[in-house]
Each structure stands twice: as C-alpha cells, then as structure tokens.
Amino acid sequence: MTTTTTDPTLEAAPERAVTGRLRGSLGVASIVFIVVAAASPLGVIGGPVPLGIAFGNGAGFPFTYLVATAVLLLFAVGFTAATPFVRSAGAFYAYVDRGLGRAAGLGTAFAALLSYLALEAGVFGLLGPAVDGLLQSYGLPAVPWWVYALVGFVAVSALGYFNIELSTKVLAVLLIAEVLIVLALDAVVIFGGGGPEGYSTGVFDPAQILSGAPGFAILFAILSFIGFEATAVFRDEAKDPDRTIPRATYISLISIGIFYAVSSWALISANGQSGIVENTTSNAGTVLATTAETYLGTVGGHIIQVLFATSLFACILSFHNIATRYFFSLGRKGVLSSSLAAAHPKFGSPARASLLTSGIVLALVAVAVVLGLEPITQFYTWLGGISSVGVVLLLVITSVAVLAIFRKDSHSLGAWRTTIAPVLGLIGLLTFLAIILVNLPVLVGEASYGPFSIGVLVLLVAAFALGPVIAAARKDAELD
C-alpha cells in the first residue's frame, strides 16, 4: 500500500492524475478475450457444469445455458443501445447514475467493487489447491495452498500495473489454449459418435429439462457468465467505443453461451446420459479430467490439469483489471481520492488503482490464512456467494436504469431496443435473482439461511447504502 504514495514516476504527473485518460487501443477481439477469460471457460466446464448436472436438471442442463444466454442477450439489447449516451467508463454504475441518479449510481459502484474484489480474492482459493495438486502429480511435495496463491498474486499484480495490452496478450494465449483443449475433447466425442450410449438427447427432451431442480441449474448457469460487463469498463482503452463495446458484448455472450451449451452436452454424451447424474454427484471435481483421459489419453488428462490452473489465473487477472478500472474511474470523478486516477506516464495504465486492488485482495487472502479457512469450501464459496448475488442484482438495477434512460428520451431507437427487449430481460433477471436468493444458503454451504448467507446480503446492502452517504458528502463528484 505504501507504494501508492512513494512511486516517483507517478508523483511526477499530478496533472494527469486528475485529468488524464488511460491509453490503449483495444479492439473487439481484445475486449472479448478479457471478458471470456473472466468467465473462465475451462474452469466452468470443470466446476459449475458438473455441479449443475448433479444438483440441477441432469442431462437437460445444456438447455439451461441457452435460457441464460437468451435472457442476457435481451439485457444486452438495452445495455448496448444506451452505451453511446453514457460517456463514462464505469460500466453498470455509470448507467445507473444516468438513469436513476447519483446516489443509486454510487451504491451500484460500491456493490460492484465488493462483488468483483470478492470474486478475485476467492478464486485464489481455487488456484492454490489446483496448482498444488498439479505439482504433486509430478512428484513435488505438498505445500500450503496460500504459497501458490501468493505466487499467482505477484504475477497478477505485476501485469495489472502495466498497460492493459500486455494483460490482453497473456489472456489471449491462456484463453486460446484452454478453449482449444475443450474443443478437442468436444470434437472427439461428437465426431466419434458420442459416448457409450451415443449422443445425449436430454437437451431436446422437456421431461429432462424440467427434471430434478431446474432452478438450481439456472443458478450455476448464470454464474458462468459473471464478468461480461467488462465490455463497458474498458471504454477509455477501446478503439471507437460506441461500436466496439456493443459488438464485443454480443460476441462474448453468444460465444460463451454456445461454448458452454455444446461442451456440457458433449461431457454428458461422453459419460452416458443414464448415469451422468450419479457420476457427477460422486466425482464432480474429477469428471472432466477422467473424461479427457478416456478420450484424449493420459497426455490429454495432464493438459486439462495444467490449463485448469491457467484458466483460474486468467480469471483472476480479468477481474483484477475490472476492479482496478472501477477504482480509477471513481478517482477521476472525484468520488474517491483523485490520486487513484493517476494514469502511469510511461505505461498509460491505472497503476495506483491496480496497487489498491492488489492490497485489498492480499488482505482478504491473508485473513483467510490467519483464520485457517478451507480454501475451496469456505473461502471461495463464501466470497463466491457475495459475487453471485451482487452481480445479478447489478444486472437488475442496470436494467431498470436503462429503461429510465430511454423513458426520458428514446433517441428514436425504436420500441424493441428501448422498451420491449429491456423489459423482457428484466423479467428474466428478476426470476434469476429470486432463484439465487432461494438457493443462496446451499451455495455458501448452509442448510437454510444462517450467518453466512445472511452476511452476504448484509454486506451488499451496506455497499449500496454507501451510495447516498458518499453522494451527500461529495456533492461535486460526477459519475457520467
């Protein structure tokens, strides 16, 4: 934390700290890499997908991704239509400020920061054990999970300090590798005639789609898309943002949705539809690796293990960049200290904001270590609960804000983009939010609402409540 006040290269540019903009020339592909990496495709296929199959609707689970994609695309219609009229690089909170006012906008900003910082820190609870398990398989001794988490933390902090284009290059390499290995597995299964029972038909069978607990399936499906709002976070570093952001949003959502639907269907087919629920219930954490070994050989299984760890790293790096730009934007608008808006004179990066993000995440990981929390079932699960509720709540509030923006002035964009699609998306998102709230105790490891699930809601309410307080204290601050 002391680095933020002693870095001479930053102190040399006080004028830029307040008025400068970040430098970058991100195109559609670069922003899509960041967004899809945040979604962690391989991590999803190895985590939420088996859980969604086991505790959701079994062989009908792939259809759930199509439902989630459709709802989010309806949301994106209004979200992207409003983008040219929201000039700030603040993603959700800038839209809420324009539609619902400063107090609501600031509350949204702090809730978003809480959600993304919690998720970034929580995924370290997955990364540490994943790397430890990988290296143990090669004969190295076991070490505490936080050792490898700390190594990953240093790498993420270093990349976050430099220009965003360096991060996008790293993310591109990691993302392409993890997507290719999953596509290779999909191709072997699909072009090989499926698995022991041929191709799964559950995705087309209403009885399968509605079997089990489809509401719980929706929960895991929607969690797989967290991070797609990053398309608007990088406005300042995008080429022609009014065109780049909408295109990146649609491409990200469609590609993620299709990838998850096809890959989850292939995973079910590979293992046999009749026994997939039992298989994933007993082996949720290993079903992807064992499937890869069966269809791609031992080498394929090892590659999956390696890329699972790098997928988690890419996810952390993406959310670090998102949270950092929230801090930068709030500093530039006078909501937080203007020193956070210091664009590095050499790299054109939000260096100080990145250091603050790193400091908070390090503190959260340190608390987990000191308290002796189990990294996956406690640290990741609890922080993941905050993120899941927070992000869907942000989507709901942003949907309302978009409708409010176009209620003031439709800008002659037509009823579909300004009213019909946003309303349909809002209805879908409210349904998702209700489902997540009902299932929140299970998500954080409780049988019913207890201290942890209630604590998640209290933290989010407190974050939103900061909005009116800060709005009253910093009346000169502008969000858009």
Side-chain angles (χ1 to χ4, degrees), residues 31 125 153 209 250 270 272 287 293 313 316 349 358 363 377 427:
I31 296 179
F153 168 81
I209 293 169
Y250 285 121
V287 66
E293 287 186 10
F313 177 82
I316 293 170
S349 64
S358 296
T377 61
I427 293 171

Side-chain angles (χ1 to χ4, degrees), residues 284-447:
T286 59
V287 66
L288 176 61
T290 55
T291 303
E293 287 186 10
T294 300
Y295 287 87
L296 300 178
T298 303
V299 173
H302 282 295
I303 292 174
I304 284 283
Q305 282 186 290
V306 172
L307 293 180
F308 179 72
T310 61
S311 174
L312 295 174
F313 177 82
C315 175
I316 293 170
L317 178 58
S318 293
F319 282 112
H320 180 90
N321 283 323
I322 295 171
T324 291
R325 278 147 187 83
Y326 264 81
F327 279 125
F328 179 89
S329 183
L330 290 173
R332 192 173 64 189
K333 299 302 182 182
V335 176
L336 299 178
S337 171
S338 61
S339 64
L340 293 174
H344 197 287
K346 179 179 179 181
F347 305 122
S349 64
R352 284 183 172 173
S354 178
L355 291 173
L356 175 59
T357 301
S358 296
I360 294 173
V361 170
L362 180 61
L364 290 172
V365 174
V367 168
V369 173
V370 170
L371 295 179
L373 299 181
E374 203 285 326
I376 298 175
T377 61
Q378 293 180 321
F379 185 53
Y380 168 73
T381 300
W382 295 348
L383 294 185
I386 295 174
S387 300
S388 60
V389 178
V391 170
V392 176
L393 189 58
L394 293 172
L395 289 168
V396 168
I397 294 173
T398 305
S399 294
V400 175
V402 166
L403 287 168
I405 290 172
F406 289 127
R407 183 179 178 84
K408 299 173 185 177
D409 185 349
S410 67
H411 300 282
S412 301
L413 294 177
W416 170 251
R417 300 178 69 187
T418 61
T419 305
I420 299 174
V423 168
L424 292 175
L426 176 59
I427 293 171
L429 289 169
L430 285 171
T431 303
F432 290 166
L433 180 60
I435 290 170
I436 289 178
L437 290 176
V438 168
N439 291 282
L440 179 60
V442 178
L443 185 64
V444 298
E446 295 179 325

Side-chain angles (χ1 to χ4, degrees), residues 12-61:
E15 179 71 16
R16 181 172 298 192
V18 179
T19 62
R21 284 183 175 270
L22 301 180
R23 294 200 304 271
S25 56
L26 301 180
V28 173
S30 295
I31 296 179
V32 168
F33 277 130
I34 296 173
V35 173
V36 178
S40 185
L42 184 57
V44 167
I45 302 302
V49 165
L51 293 173
I53 294 170
F55 303 108
N57 51 353
F61 183 63

Side-chain angles (χ1 to χ4, degrees), residues 140-163:
L140 273 70
V143 301
W145 69 271
W146 55 265
V147 173
Y148 294 122
L150 183 61
V151 173
F153 168 81
V154 171
V156 167
S157 298
L159 288 169
Y161 189 84
F162 297 110
N163 186 278

